[in-house]
Amino acid sequence: MKTKRASRSLVEASGGKSYLVPFVLVTSLFLLWGLAHGLLDVLNKHFQGVFTMTKAESGLVQFSTYIAYFLMALPAGAFMRRFGYRRGIILGLSLFALGAFAFIPAAFLHSAGPFLVALFVIACGLCILETAANPYATILGPPESAASRLNLSQSFNGLGWILGPLLGGALIFGAPEGDSMALAKPYICVGAVVSLVAILFFFVKLPEVKPEEERDVPAGHLSLALWRHKQFTRAVIAQFCYCAAQTGIFSFFINYVTEVDPSISNLQASRVLAFGGMALFMIGRLVGSAAMRWFQPSRLLMGCALAGAVCMALVFVSMGTVSLYALYLSFFFMSIMFPTIFALGLEGLGEWTKKGSSYIVMGVAGGAFSPMLMGYIGEREMAMGFIVPLVAFLYILYFALTCRPSRGG
């Protein structure tokens, strides 16, 4: 179904004011946390070798990261409501940098535990950033282009996902044998960049934009009214499923590729992940952002969820090269899901937008559990573990089918 094209600029307020500069600054955050998440997929495979972990045990890398989203999402939302988006972003960046630099002492302890703690601290910062930046991007312009605007920002998140495996693969898999600082090196680089961005946000004044409908309401009334929005409730579940699917696929991509083709090394597989899977992920975000100017976000989500389920079915049956290409293509179809589910879930919430954002971010906790489950199911044959993202995509298809038409349609 086609929609009416927005008459205003993507980042223009109703009064004609441009939010271009705040939008560019906030979009830079998407690249940074994409980089952090992209590094995880290298760590997962590396931990299996260095710390002699099973596939299920290496899922603790993702668990220590994504469980932070579940624990921090509501406190992050409360902080944002009291102190605003700008201070929330600075706090998130500070924790991000602290966790990254914590990899330095962890490298001298020769144990997985300290690295997992450092990842948890990083994730607490990422949770705050996502709780702030996702809704902030949706309201920096016309409401009817919120999903398109968020997909554009998330496109740079896709660039971070490309850079993560490249940086991690080069500095970790490419390190000389016995290099005790191999795991710390990419995080030292990331910590330095994040620190500079935090300083920039400290000195640059951002407008505290609020949705037009936002107002103060009693906390109890807010919570009850929020959960009466069926589309929002389904969005929380859909986001949980999406993050379970995405994290599982990303985490075991290297395992799957090296099992299907043993001639491919871990370093080569990390490059395939960057230039193959993650590149398609970024292209999908760019294409999706443009397509939402003319097509309903829920319709695009429906098509991508169906295509993603088909890809996972082909990966599950393990048909060699065909399954490999299906795995690559799944990155393209996954690309629009997170921001689109997020935008559809917040649609029509008005005064409950910040609170709703916190609950949807909590759905990222799906990524904490799926790698361990997929690792357990696929311990002998990795293909079997991909039943988990298959089921997740089927629920997202259901969510898309039940969404009401977006505003501006």
Side-chain angles (χ1 to χ4, degrees):
M1 182 185 293
K2 292 190 175 183
T3 64
K4 189 187 298 181
R5 192 167 183 173
S7 57
R8 283 186 273 159
S9 164
L10 198 66
V11 290
E12 184 180 331
S14 56
K17 181 178 180 180
S18 174
Y19 289 129
L20 179 60
V21 173
F23 181 73
V24 170
L25 287 173
V26 170
T27 297
S28 71
L29 301 177
F30 288 77
L31 187 149
L32 289 175
W33 80 62
L35 178 62
H37 285 295
L39 282 168
L40 293 179
D41 307 318
V42 174
L43 291 185
N44 185 282
K45 177 63 174 175
H46 188 67
F47 274 37
Q48 292 173 30
V50 172
F51 300 118
T52 60
M53 288 180 162
T54 65
K55 292 175 184 175
E57 289 170 342
S58 70
L60 288 171
V61 169
Q62 279 71 25
F63 179 84
S64 63
T65 298
Y66 290 103
I67 198 63
Y69 282 83
F70 181 79
L71 298 174
M72 282 295 295
L74 291 180
F79 184 92
M80 230 72 64
R81 289 192 300 275
R82 182 169 181 179
F83 298 106
Y85 289 116
R86 178 175 169 273
R87 291 181 180 177
I89 289 170
I90 292 172
L91 175 62
L93 288 169
S94 299
L95 288 173
F96 189 171
L98 177 64
F101 288 128
F103 266 65
I104 298 175
F108 293 100
L109 298 176
H110 308 292
S111 172
F115 289 109
L116 297 177
V117 172
L119 287 172
F120 179 82
V121 175
I122 290 174
C124 287
L126 296 180
C127 177
I128 296 172
L129 289 179
E130 294 201 37
T131 304
N134 279 299
Y136 199 52
T138 66
I139 60 179
L140 287 174
E144 63 269 15
S145 59
S148 179
R149 193 163 46 253
L150 186 54
N151 268 281
L152 179 59
S153 290
Q154 290 274 4
S155 298
F156 289 86
N157 179 255
L159 177 59
W161 281 101
I162 293 174
L163 296 175
L166 284 178
L167 180 64
L171 296 181
I172 297 176
F173 290 143
E177 189 174 349
D179 185 353
S180 61
M181 294 298 291
L183 279 172
K185 286 178 180 178
Y187 284 91
I188 294 172
C189 297
V190 171
V193 173
V194 170
S195 298
L196 290 174
V197 174
I199 292 171
L200 180 62
F201 270 93
F202 185 81
F203 287 104
V204 174
K205 186 176 182 180
L206 293 177
E208 183 60 26
V209 184
K210 294 185 178 181
E212 294 176 3
E213 308 93 335
E214 189 168 347
R215 65 181 188 274
D216 293 326
V217 293
H221 171 71
L222 184 149
S223 297
L224 288 173
L226 179 62
W227 291 105
R228 291 194 187 106
H229 286 255
K230 292 182 179 179
Q231 184 164 310
F232 161 76
T233 303
R234 287 192 288 261
V236 174
I237 301 171
Q239 202 68 287
F240 182 95
C241 290
Y242 167 71
C243 291
Q246 183 211 61
T247 306
I249 292 170
F250 288 7
S251 300
F252 292 109
F253 178 92
I254 295 176
N255 279 98
Y256 187 85
V257 170
T258 53
E259 284 185 15
V260 171
D261 187 352
S263 67
I264 298 177
S265 68
N266 289 335
L267 178 57
Q268 290 171 326
S270 70
R271 291 171 179 167
V272 173
L273 175 60
F275 292 118
M278 296 305 184
L280 283 172
F281 191 79
M282 182 180 177
I283 292 169
R285 285 253 166 102
L286 291 169
V287 172
S289 178
M292 285 181 193
R293 295 282 191 124
W294 295 278
F295 298 97
Q296 289 282 354
S298 59
R299 300 302 182 197
L300 286 177
L301 181 63
M302 187 188 310
C304 287
L306 178 60
V310 171
C311 286
M312 288 303 99
L314 290 172
V315 171
F316 178 76
V317 296
S318 196
M319 298 172 62
T321 303
V322 173
S323 295
L324 277 179
Y325 282 118
L327 182 60
Y328 301 153
L329 282 174
S330 70
F331 283 71
F332 180 86
F333 297 120
M334 279 191 292
S335 62
I336 70 156
M337 291 185 186
F338 182 94
T340 306
I341 293 170
F342 199 98
L344 289 171
L346 294 181
E347 200 168 75
L349 293 188
E351 69 267 33
W352 306 297
T353 297
K354 287 182 181 177
K355 186 75 169 181
S357 170
S358 300
Y359 283 115
I360 295 178
V361 169
M362 285 179 71
V364 176
F369 303 101
S370 63
M372 289 189 289
L373 179 59
M374 285 182 66
Y376 178 77
I377 297 173
E379 191 64 52
R380 291 188 176 180
E381 186 180 353
M382 195 64 247
M384 302 303 293
F386 283 84
I387 189 69
V388 176
L390 171 59
V391 173
F393 286 144
L394 290 175
Y395 181 85
I396 296 168
L397 175 62
Y398 162 75
F399 167 72
L401 286 168
T402 58
C403 282
R404 62 179 180 271
S406 302
R407 288 174 292 181

